[in-house]
Structure formats: C-alpha cells, structure tokens
Amino acid sequence: MTDQAKDRVYIFDTTLRDGEQSPGATMTHDEKLEIAELLDDMGVDIIEAGFPIASEGDFRAVSEIAERSKNSVICGLARAQLNDIDRCWEAVKHANRPRIHTFIGTSPLHRAIPNLTMDEMAERIHDTVTHARNLCDNVQWSPMDATRTEHDYLCRVVEIAIKAGATTINIPDTVGYTAPVESAELIRMLINKVPGADEIIFATHCHNDLGMATANSLAAVEAGARQIECTINGLGERAGNTALEEVVMALKVRGDIMPFETHIDTKKIMHISRRVATVSGFPVQYNKAIVGKNAFAHESGIHQDGMLKNKETFEIMRPEDVGLAGTSLPLGKHSGRAALRAKLKDLGVDVGDNQLKDIFVRFKDLADRKKEVFDEDILALVTAAMTDGADHLEIVSLKVVCGTGGPAEATLEMEVGGEEKSTVMEGDGPVDATFKAVRALYPNSARLQLYQVNAVTEGTDAQATVSVRLEEDGKIATGQSADTDTVYASAKAYVNALNRLHVRRSKTGSDQKEISYKDVG
Ligand code: KIV
Ligand code: ZN
C-alpha cells in the first residue's frame, strides 16, 4: 500500500499531563517547555500540556507552552465544571490552535463519586461541553473509565457530547482493563450506533495495567479511531500509558497490515525519550521496545553472525530510523571540539556555543579518565551539563575512604546557598557516608525512596548513572547524575534531588497540586 492510500492517525501526546501525573515524575517549568518544544518539533499533532486548574504551576506551564507553540494543537485538561473549563481556556487560548479537553467518569463506580444519577450526569455533560464549545471551537470530551461503562449509557452520553459540540470523543481505558478485541468492538459499536459519530474523531487512550495498552490502541485504530493518546516512554500513572514510540513505529513498520500514517519524525524519538527519562527521573528499562538500551543490541553469536551478513535477519527497523547513530564511532581524548559538535548533531542534540564549551570541558575530563567515550557517555554528559546550574547546593569536593576493616569516611565540601561548608562523616559504606555528610551540611527531612545505579557503557571505567528519588511532606523529587566515579555520581544525584525539593519548597503555594488527581486516570 502506498503512503497516499494510508489513513492519517493523529498523535495526541499527554506526557506533560497524564505522564507528569505519575508519582515522582514532576517536571520543572523549564523542563516542561523544553519537552513541549521537542514534541512540537517531532510532529506531534496535539500536545496535552497540563491541567490548568490543578495548580498555579500547571497553569503557567500550559499558558507558556500555548504561547510558544508552533504547529501542534495545545490542549489543556478540565473536569466537568464550569470554572475548570474557564481556567483551562485562559491557559490554552494563547495557542495558534487551542483545544479544551473536558472529562467525567461515566462508569457505575465513577458515577458514585459525585453521587450523580445517570440523568444528572447526562445534563452535566451537556452543560459543560456546551460551555467549552462556546469558548473554543476545538473541544475534546472523555467519558473516563469508558471501557467499564454500560454500553447503552456510553452511547447516550457520547451522543449528548457530540450534539453539544465536542469535535473529538476520547474513549479512555482508564484502568488498563480492556483487551484488543474488546477495544476494537467498543469503537466499532460507537461508530455504528451513535448519531453524528461520522462527524467527529474518535480517540483511544489506553493505560497499561495488563501490558496491552499499545495493542489496545492499535486495535481501536483498526476499528475506526483516528487519534491515539500516548506518552513518551509510556510514562504515566501506575503501569503507564500507550508509548508514543511503540504505536508510531508499529504503524511505520507494519504499514502492510495497518495502513495508517502519522506525521511523526521518527528520527527524533531517541532524543526525546532520553530527555523525558532524565527530566522525569524515570529511567527507560533496558529491554523496552524501540527506546531501551538493548532494543538494537545483538549479543548471541548466532544473532551477531546473522547481523554481519544481513542486518534484516534480526532487525525489523534500523536504529537510524529512531535517531540512533548507525555506527557508533567512539570519541577519545584526542578528539576536538568539531568532532564533539558533529557527534552531538548526530545524536540529535542541539547546543549553543556556551553549552558546547561546557560539555567539551566535561568531555575532556572524562576522556582523560576513560579510554573510549561512547554515545551514551556523551548523552550522560549533556544531561549533566543541562541539569547543573545555579543551584542552592553545589558539591565543591568529595573524598571517600573505604575498604575492609572499618567504616567508610566521607570528607565533603559543599556550597549551601553560596556559603562554603565542610564536614567529615562515617557511614556503612561509601554511599551511606557520603549521604550522611550531605545531610550534615544540609539538614533535611527528605526520605530516600529510591537509589538506583546503572552503568551507561561497558567496562570498569563505565560511567555510572545514578537515580535518587526523595520524598518530603508528600512531595517527590528525583535527581540523576553520571560519572565514572559511582560514589561521586551518587552524591551529585542526591544533591540534584535536594535542589529540586528546595525549588519546590520555595514555591510552596504556587507549584503545589491544589486538587486531588485521584479522579483522573
Ligand atoms: O485515563 C483517563 O481516563 C484519563 C482521562 C482524564 C482522559 O487520563
Ligand atoms: Zn489517563
């Protein structure tokens, strides 16, 4: 089938709303702007930028993303309440192409929460969609928990929403309960039974609780849905959402049996996946489809032999298709700035002259300590350069003595709000001693929820990336860092997370979630 004959499927990315909702994945304002720009550049049709009434921070982020948007439609989420919808419109109206997305839980379990009868809820849907449509000519409506809503009632409320002016009807599998056959049947049933269904676009929004989100989304498309809601790396509540990279690459690779096209520039997938992993603090699992570190790695002799003879023996898509440099030529300590710039370009990283200078200094320092500097090393350096800055806490020096026969001892010098402080602390191992030293210089009540170390490249001189997740008074912050010295990387990741908590603390009242997300899947 030629491309011309393929039906267009719109990609609706909700990394900044549903994705950011996953506990611990909170992004800063600047990070949200950066991700929105990457999504816009890669060809995402609709960006759900946030939930404007949820907090001042969400409102500001959605407004600024709307103002800066280029091609994408910018959408904000609103509950079925007039003031939510007004607030959403205030934020998205700056976009060239704004959209209001309003929703209400329609299944028996969800109807019980606001304690509305079927008729009362139907009336609420009519009133809120009408209100949204009076503000904006692009309105999306979602019956939350649609896959567990009685079919008759679902048809009734979808019809009401269409008549009230909704232009897109999204059918969420909020709890990841459906299966591909059922997902397709539900969309087909709605298209066949609901008057006016042919005038709007049906969307599919699947959660991954049973690992079927991508399959369910594609089945819905086969049945007639033309918008897929998804997130980068499948980020999202609980087990996450449909992953953008999976649906887009599945449609590209299996266009023979699924003749649908998207307008996503797939070469930008790898870069945005890595940036989202970094800023959300949710590393990508190694064997994750498309974007995992091992997705294009071939270990066994038979596979390697096949690959050398003909890549198609074990590869259904090329690494280049998703933006991975085909052949990875390592840089070394003799490589110059031009080589580094070329490598960054290859990796899809666009940096200004000042940032290049900073990354080059870090690169030279690493190349002195490490024989070969691989693509992953470079990306870890870029991440480190982008996350360092004028922070409240900055490590000046760290020395750790450890081994058998006694506790480890960490000597730490650190700037705290511009003031240099130092301490020596003992601990049960080098990381424990280091974290105790950080706490001695910057007393805090944050609880360590996660400490994770990964090697980004092979060998004993590999850089370690460390992720740390902290919790303080219900607020969660994550920090990441990379270095060939695992203890130093751990200290930097810990300090990074503390810096984020510091920023959030100083913004208390403005950046806190003001409403409960419990009723949002
Ligand atoms: O999962 C869900 O039902 C949602 C809605 C708000 C669309 O995220
Ligand atoms: Zn959801």
Side-chain angles (χ1 to χ4, degrees), residues 151-201:
H151 284 190
D152 285 352
Y153 190 57
L154 189 62
C155 288
R156 176 177 166 198
V157 287
V158 166
E159 183 180 348
I160 289 172
I162 294 174
K163 287 210 173 108
T167 44
T168 300
I169 299 288
N170 176 37
I171 302 299
D173 182 29
T174 305
V175 289
Y177 180 69
T178 199
V181 172
E182 193 181 62
S183 171
E185 271 170 10
L186 188 59
I187 296 289
R188 225 172 264 127
M189 186 274 294
L190 289 166
I191 291 177
N192 289 334
K193 285 202 173 157
V194 177
D198 52 338
E199 280 154 37
I200 53 99
I201 293 210

Short mmCIF file of all heavy atoms in Angstrom, two decimals, residues 151-201:
data_model
loop_
_atom_site.label_atom_id
_atom_site.label_comp_id
_atom_site.label_asym_id
_atom_site.label_seq_id
_atom_site.Cartn_x
_atom_site.Cartn_y
_atom_site.Cartn_z
N HIS A 151 -22.80 -0.04 27.92
CA HIS A 151 -22.78 0.41 26.52
C HIS A 151 -23.91 1.37 26.18
O HIS A 151 -23.71 2.36 25.49
CB HIS A 151 -22.81 -0.80 25.58
CG HIS A 151 -21.48 -1.49 25.52
ND1 HIS A 151 -21.16 -2.46 24.62
CD2 HIS A 151 -20.36 -1.32 26.26
CE1 HIS A 151 -19.91 -2.87 24.81
NE2 HIS A 151 -19.43 -2.19 25.82
N ASP A 152 -25.12 1.08 26.67
CA ASP A 152 -26.24 1.97 26.34
C ASP A 152 -26.00 3.38 26.86
O ASP A 152 -26.26 4.37 26.18
CB ASP A 152 -27.56 1.44 26.98
CG ASP A 152 -28.07 0.25 26.20
OD1 ASP A 152 -27.49 -0.03 25.13
OD2 ASP A 152 -29.03 -0.39 26.67
N TYR A 153 -25.50 3.41 28.10
CA TYR A 153 -25.27 4.73 28.70
C TYR A 153 -24.11 5.44 27.98
O TYR A 153 -24.18 6.65 27.72
CB TYR A 153 -24.96 4.59 30.20
CG TYR A 153 -24.96 5.94 30.90
CD1 TYR A 153 -26.08 6.77 30.86
CD2 TYR A 153 -23.84 6.39 31.57
CE1 TYR A 153 -26.09 8.01 31.47
CE2 TYR A 153 -23.83 7.63 32.20
CZ TYR A 153 -24.97 8.44 32.14
OH TYR A 153 -24.97 9.67 32.74
N LEU A 154 -23.09 4.68 27.60
CA LEU A 154 -21.96 5.28 26.89
C LEU A 154 -22.44 5.90 25.57
O LEU A 154 -22.10 7.03 25.24
CB LEU A 154 -20.88 4.21 26.63
CG LEU A 154 -19.55 4.73 26.10
CD1 LEU A 154 -18.89 5.69 27.09
CD2 LEU A 154 -18.59 3.57 25.81
N CYS A 155 -23.27 5.15 24.84
CA CYS A 155 -23.81 5.69 23.57
C CYS A 155 -24.60 6.96 23.83
O CYS A 155 -24.48 7.95 23.11
CB CYS A 155 -24.73 4.67 22.89
SG CYS A 155 -23.83 3.29 22.19
N ARG A 156 -25.38 6.94 24.91
CA ARG A 156 -26.23 8.10 25.20
C ARG A 156 -25.36 9.33 25.49
O ARG A 156 -25.60 10.41 24.93
CB ARG A 156 -27.11 7.75 26.43
CG ARG A 156 -27.96 8.89 26.87
CD ARG A 156 -28.86 8.48 28.04
NE ARG A 156 -29.43 9.68 28.65
CZ ARG A 156 -29.95 9.71 29.85
NH1 ARG A 156 -30.02 8.60 30.58
NH2 ARG A 156 -30.44 10.83 30.34
N VAL A 157 -24.34 9.17 26.34
CA VAL A 157 -23.57 10.37 26.71
C VAL A 157 -22.65 10.83 25.57
O VAL A 157 -22.41 12.02 25.41
CB VAL A 157 -22.79 10.17 28.03
CG1 VAL A 157 -23.74 10.19 29.22
CG2 VAL A 157 -21.92 8.92 28.02
N VAL A 158 -22.17 9.89 24.78
CA VAL A 158 -21.34 10.29 23.63
C VAL A 158 -22.20 11.12 22.67
O VAL A 158 -21.78 12.16 22.16
CB VAL A 158 -20.72 9.05 22.94
CG1 VAL A 158 -20.15 9.42 21.57
CG2 VAL A 158 -19.61 8.44 23.81
N GLU A 159 -23.42 10.68 22.47
CA GLU A 159 -24.33 11.43 21.57
C GLU A 159 -24.58 12.84 22.12
O GLU A 159 -24.54 13.83 21.38
CB GLU A 159 -25.65 10.67 21.41
CG GLU A 159 -26.57 11.38 20.43
CD GLU A 159 -27.91 10.64 20.24
OE1 GLU A 159 -28.06 9.48 20.68
OE2 GLU A 159 -28.82 11.27 19.64
N ILE A 160 -24.78 12.92 23.43
CA ILE A 160 -25.02 14.24 24.05
C ILE A 160 -23.80 15.15 23.84
O ILE A 160 -23.92 16.32 23.46
CB ILE A 160 -25.30 14.08 25.57
CG1 ILE A 160 -26.68 13.44 25.74
CG2 ILE A 160 -25.20 15.41 26.31
CD1 ILE A 160 -27.01 13.06 27.17
N ALA A 161 -22.61 14.59 24.04
CA ALA A 161 -21.39 15.40 23.90
C ALA A 161 -21.21 15.86 22.45
O ALA A 161 -20.83 17.00 22.19
CB ALA A 161 -20.17 14.59 24.36
N ILE A 162 -21.53 14.98 21.51
CA ILE A 162 -21.40 15.37 20.09
C ILE A 162 -22.39 16.50 19.78
O ILE A 162 -22.05 17.52 19.19
CB ILE A 162 -21.62 14.16 19.15
CG1 ILE A 162 -20.51 13.12 19.33
CG2 ILE A 162 -21.68 14.61 17.69
CD1 ILE A 162 -20.70 11.82 18.56
N LYS A 163 -23.61 16.31 20.25
CA LYS A 163 -24.64 17.34 19.97
C LYS A 163 -24.28 18.67 20.62
O LYS A 163 -24.59 19.74 20.10
CB LYS A 163 -26.00 16.87 20.46
CG LYS A 163 -26.59 15.78 19.58
CD LYS A 163 -28.12 15.82 19.59
CE LYS A 163 -28.72 14.85 18.58
NZ LYS A 163 -29.35 13.69 19.23
N ALA A 164 -23.59 18.60 21.76
CA ALA A 164 -23.22 19.84 22.47
C ALA A 164 -21.99 20.49 21.84
O ALA A 164 -21.60 21.57 22.26
CB ALA A 164 -22.97 19.53 23.95
N GLY A 165 -21.37 19.82 20.89
CA GLY A 165 -20.29 20.49 20.16
C GLY A 165 -18.91 19.87 20.27
O GLY A 165 -17.93 20.44 19.76
N ALA A 166 -18.79 18.70 20.92
CA ALA A 166 -17.46 18.08 21.00
C ALA A 166 -17.00 17.70 19.60
O ALA A 166 -17.79 17.18 18.79
CB ALA A 166 -17.51 16.85 21.90
N THR A 167 -15.72 17.95 19.31
CA THR A 167 -15.20 17.63 17.98
C THR A 167 -14.35 16.36 18.01
O THR A 167 -14.10 15.75 16.97
CB THR A 167 -14.37 18.82 17.44
OG1 THR A 167 -13.54 19.30 18.50
CG2 THR A 167 -15.26 19.94 16.95
N THR A 168 -13.90 16.00 19.20
CA THR A 168 -13.18 14.73 19.37
C THR A 168 -13.79 14.02 20.58
O THR A 168 -14.02 14.64 21.62
CB THR A 168 -11.68 14.96 19.66
OG1 THR A 168 -11.12 15.66 18.56
CG2 THR A 168 -10.93 13.64 19.84
N ILE A 169 -14.07 12.73 20.43
CA ILE A 169 -14.56 11.94 21.56
C ILE A 169 -13.48 10.91 21.87
O ILE A 169 -13.13 10.07 21.04
CB ILE A 169 -15.89 11.20 21.21
CG1 ILE A 169 -17.00 12.20 20.85
CG2 ILE A 169 -16.30 10.29 22.38
CD1 ILE A 169 -17.58 13.01 22.00
N ASN A 170 -12.97 11.02 23.10
CA ASN A 170 -11.90 10.11 23.52
C ASN A 170 -12.50 9.00 24.38
O ASN A 170 -13.33 9.26 25.24
CB ASN A 170 -10.90 10.94 24.33
CG ASN A 170 -9.79 10.08 24.90
OD1 ASN A 170 -9.34 9.14 24.25
ND2 ASN A 170 -9.34 10.41 26.10
N ILE A 171 -12.09 7.77 24.10
CA ILE A 171 -12.65 6.63 24.84
C ILE A 171 -11.54 6.03 25.72
O ILE A 171 -10.76 5.18 25.28
CB ILE A 171 -13.20 5.57 23.84
CG1 ILE A 171 -14.28 6.22 22.94
CG2 ILE A 171 -13.76 4.35 24.55
CD1 ILE A 171 -15.50 6.76 23.71
N PRO A 172 -11.44 6.47 26.97
CA PRO A 172 -10.33 6.01 27.80
C PRO A 172 -10.54 4.63 28.42
O PRO A 172 -11.63 4.32 28.90
CB PRO A 172 -10.25 7.05 28.93
CG PRO A 172 -11.22 8.12 28.59
CD PRO A 172 -12.21 7.53 27.65
N ASP A 173 -9.47 3.85 28.38
CA ASP A 173 -9.42 2.62 29.16
C ASP A 173 -8.60 3.00 30.40
O ASP A 173 -7.43 2.67 30.52
CB ASP A 173 -8.75 1.50 28.35
CG ASP A 173 -8.73 0.19 29.11
OD1 ASP A 173 -9.66 -0.04 29.92
OD2 ASP A 173 -7.78 -0.60 28.91
N THR A 174 -9.26 3.70 31.29
CA THR A 174 -8.60 4.37 32.41
C THR A 174 -7.80 3.42 33.30
O THR A 174 -6.76 3.78 33.83
CB THR A 174 -9.68 5.11 33.24
OG1 THR A 174 -10.39 5.95 32.33
CG2 THR A 174 -9.09 5.92 34.36
N VAL A 175 -8.31 2.21 33.48
CA VAL A 175 -7.63 1.29 34.41
C VAL A 175 -6.90 0.16 33.67
O VAL A 175 -6.52 -0.84 34.28
CB VAL A 175 -8.62 0.72 35.45
CG1 VAL A 175 -9.03 1.81 36.42
CG2 VAL A 175 -9.83 0.10 34.78
N GLY A 176 -6.75 0.28 32.38
CA GLY A 176 -6.00 -0.72 31.61
C GLY A 176 -6.64 -2.09 31.67
O GLY A 176 -5.96 -3.11 31.81
N TYR A 177 -7.98 -2.13 31.53
CA TYR A 177 -8.74 -3.36 31.75
C TYR A 177 -9.13 -4.06 30.46
O TYR A 177 -9.34 -5.26 30.43
CB TYR A 177 -10.01 -2.96 32.53
CG TYR A 177 -10.94 -4.08 32.87
CD1 TYR A 177 -10.57 -5.05 33.81
CD2 TYR A 177 -12.19 -4.16 32.28
CE1 TYR A 177 -11.45 -6.08 34.13
CE2 TYR A 177 -13.07 -5.19 32.61
CZ TYR A 177 -12.68 -6.14 33.52
OH TYR A 177 -13.53 -7.15 33.86
N THR A 178 -9.19 -3.30 29.37
CA THR A 178 -9.71 -3.89 28.14
C THR A 178 -8.67 -4.78 27.45
O THR A 178 -7.52 -4.86 27.89
CB THR A 178 -10.24 -2.78 27.20
OG1 THR A 178 -11.13 -3.36 26.25
CG2 THR A 178 -9.13 -2.05 26.48
N ALA A 179 -9.09 -5.44 26.39
CA ALA A 179 -8.19 -6.28 25.58
C ALA A 179 -8.43 -5.91 24.12
O ALA A 179 -9.48 -5.34 23.80
CB ALA A 179 -8.52 -7.75 25.83
N PRO A 180 -7.47 -6.21 23.22
CA PRO A 180 -7.59 -5.71 21.85
C PRO A 180 -8.94 -5.97 21.17
O PRO A 180 -9.51 -5.06 20.56
CB PRO A 180 -6.43 -6.40 21.13
CG PRO A 180 -5.41 -6.58 22.20
CD PRO A 180 -6.18 -6.88 23.45
N VAL A 181 -9.46 -7.18 21.29
CA VAL A 181 -10.73 -7.48 20.59
C VAL A 181 -11.84 -6.58 21.11
O VAL A 181 -12.64 -6.00 20.35
CB VAL A 181 -11.11 -8.97 20.82
CG1 VAL A 181 -12.49 -9.27 20.28
CG2 VAL A 181 -10.07 -9.88 20.17
N GLU A 182 -11.87 -6.43 22.42
CA GLU A 182 -12.92 -5.63 23.04
C GLU A 182 -12.76 -4.15 22.72
O GLU A 182 -13.73 -3.42 22.49
CB GLU A 182 -12.85 -5.86 24.55
CG GLU A 182 -14.03 -5.37 25.32
CD GLU A 182 -13.83 -5.61 26.80
OE1 GLU A 182 -12.86 -5.05 27.38
OE2 GLU A 182 -14.62 -6.36 27.38
N SER A 183 -11.48 -3.71 22.71
CA SER A 183 -11.19 -2.30 22.41
C SER A 183 -11.73 -1.95 21.02
O SER A 183 -12.38 -0.92 20.82
CB SER A 183 -9.67 -2.09 22.48
OG SER A 183 -9.31 -0.84 22.03
N ALA A 184 -11.48 -2.84 20.07
CA ALA A 184 -11.96 -2.61 18.70
C ALA A 184 -13.49 -2.64 18.65
O ALA A 184 -14.12 -1.78 18.04
CB ALA A 184 -11.38 -3.67 17.77
N GLU A 185 -14.08 -3.62 19.34
CA GLU A 185 -15.56 -3.74 19.31
C GLU A 185 -16.23 -2.50 19.86
O GLU A 185 -17.26 -2.05 19.36
CB GLU A 185 -16.00 -4.94 20.14
CG GLU A 185 -16.07 -6.22 19.33
CD GLU A 185 -16.28 -7.45 20.21
OE1 GLU A 185 -16.57 -7.30 21.41
OE2 GLU A 185 -16.12 -8.56 19.66
N LEU A 186 -15.63 -1.94 20.92
CA LEU A 186 -16.24 -0.77 21.55
C LEU A 186 -16.26 0.41 20.58
O LEU A 186 -17.29 1.09 20.43
CB LEU A 186 -15.45 -0.40 22.82
CG LEU A 186 -16.06 0.67 23.71
CD1 LEU A 186 -17.45 0.25 24.21
CD2 LEU A 186 -15.16 0.95 24.92
N ILE A 187 -15.16 0.65 19.90
CA ILE A 187 -15.11 1.77 18.96
C ILE A 187 -16.09 1.51 17.80
O ILE A 187 -16.85 2.39 17.40
CB ILE A 187 -13.67 1.97 18.41
CG1 ILE A 187 -12.70 2.35 19.54
CG2 ILE A 187 -13.63 2.98 17.26
CD1 ILE A 187 -12.90 3.75 20.10
N ARG A 188 -16.09 0.28 17.33
CA ARG A 188 -16.99 -0.06 16.21
C ARG A 188 -18.45 0.15 16.61
O ARG A 188 -19.23 0.73 15.88
CB ARG A 188 -16.75 -1.52 15.82
CG ARG A 188 -16.65 -1.69 14.33
CD ARG A 188 -16.23 -3.09 13.91
NE ARG A 188 -14.81 -3.20 13.67
CZ ARG A 188 -14.01 -4.11 14.21
NH1 ARG A 188 -14.47 -4.99 15.07
NH2 ARG A 188 -12.73 -4.14 13.91
N MET A 189 -18.76 -0.29 17.82
CA MET A 189 -20.14 -0.16 18.32
C MET A 189 -20.53 1.32 18.37
O MET A 189 -21.62 1.70 17.92
CB MET A 189 -20.19 -0.80 19.73
CG MET A 189 -21.53 -0.91 20.38
SD MET A 189 -22.06 0.53 21.29
CE MET A 189 -20.93 0.66 22.62
N LEU A 190 -19.63 2.17 18.88
CA LEU A 190 -19.95 3.60 18.98
C LEU A 190 -20.14 4.21 17.60
O LEU A 190 -21.09 4.97 17.36
CB LEU A 190 -18.84 4.33 19.75
CG LEU A 190 -18.79 4.02 21.26
CD1 LEU A 190 -17.48 4.50 21.88
CD2 LEU A 190 -19.98 4.65 21.99
N ILE A 191 -19.24 3.86 16.70
CA ILE A 191 -19.34 4.43 15.34
C ILE A 191 -20.65 4.01 14.68
O ILE A 191 -21.32 4.79 14.02
CB ILE A 191 -18.11 4.01 14.49
CG1 ILE A 191 -16.86 4.72 15.02
CG2 ILE A 191 -18.33 4.32 13.00
CD1 ILE A 191 -15.56 4.36 14.33
N ASN A 192 -21.05 2.75 14.91
CA ASN A 192 -22.28 2.27 14.27
C ASN A 192 -23.55 2.80 14.91
O ASN A 192 -24.55 3.01 14.24
CB ASN A 192 -22.33 0.74 14.30
CG ASN A 192 -21.29 0.16 13.35
OD1 ASN A 192 -20.92 0.82 12.38
ND2 ASN A 192 -20.81 -1.05 13.64
N LYS A 193 -23.50 2.98 16.23
CA LYS A 193 -24.77 3.28 16.91
C LYS A 193 -25.03 4.74 17.20
O LYS A 193 -26.19 5.14 17.33
CB LYS A 193 -24.81 2.53 18.26
CG LYS A 193 -25.06 1.06 18.13
CD LYS A 193 -25.60 0.53 19.44
CE LYS A 193 -26.02 -0.91 19.31
NZ LYS A 193 -26.03 -1.58 20.60
N VAL A 194 -23.95 5.55 17.39
CA VAL A 194 -24.20 6.91 17.86
C VAL A 194 -24.46 7.87 16.70
O VAL A 194 -23.62 8.02 15.82
CB VAL A 194 -23.00 7.41 18.71
CG1 VAL A 194 -23.22 8.87 19.14
CG2 VAL A 194 -22.79 6.52 19.92
N PRO A 195 -25.61 8.53 16.71
CA PRO A 195 -25.87 9.51 15.64
C PRO A 195 -24.82 10.63 15.69
O PRO A 195 -24.45 11.08 16.77
CB PRO A 195 -27.26 10.07 16.00
CG PRO A 195 -27.87 9.06 16.94
CD PRO A 195 -26.74 8.40 17.65
N GLY A 196 -24.31 11.00 14.55
CA GLY A 196 -23.31 12.08 14.48
C GLY A 196 -21.88 11.58 14.63
O GLY A 196 -20.93 12.35 14.53
N ALA A 197 -21.71 10.26 14.83
CA ALA A 197 -20.37 9.71 15.06
C ALA A 197 -19.46 9.96 13.86
O ALA A 197 -18.23 10.08 14.01
CB ALA A 197 -20.46 8.22 15.34
N ASP A 198 -20.06 10.04 12.68
CA ASP A 198 -19.22 10.22 11.48
C ASP A 198 -18.72 11.66 11.33
O ASP A 198 -17.91 11.96 10.47
CB ASP A 198 -20.01 9.80 10.22
CG ASP A 198 -21.36 10.48 10.16
OD1 ASP A 198 -21.85 10.91 11.23
OD2 ASP A 198 -21.92 10.61 9.05
N GLU A 199 -19.19 12.55 12.21
CA GLU A 199 -18.75 13.95 12.08
C GLU A 199 -17.62 14.31 13.03
O GLU A 199 -17.12 15.42 13.02
CB GLU A 199 -19.94 14.89 12.35
CG GLU A 199 -20.83 15.01 11.13
CD GLU A 199 -22.25 15.36 11.49
OE1 GLU A 199 -22.44 16.14 12.44
OE2 GLU A 199 -23.16 14.81 10.82
N ILE A 200 -17.27 13.38 13.90
CA ILE A 200 -16.22 13.70 14.87
C ILE A 200 -15.09 12.66 14.76
O ILE A 200 -15.21 11.67 14.04
CB ILE A 200 -16.77 13.71 16.31
CG1 ILE A 200 -17.50 12.40 16.62
CG2 ILE A 200 -17.73 14.87 16.50
CD1 ILE A 200 -16.77 11.39 17.35
N ILE A 201 -14.02 12.92 15.51
CA ILE A 201 -12.91 11.96 15.54
C ILE A 201 -12.98 11.18 16.84
O ILE A 201 -13.17 11.77 17.92
CB ILE A 201 -11.57 12.72 15.43
CG1 ILE A 201 -11.50 13.33 14.05
CG2 ILE A 201 -10.38 11.84 15.79
CD1 ILE A 201 -10.16 13.49 13.46
#
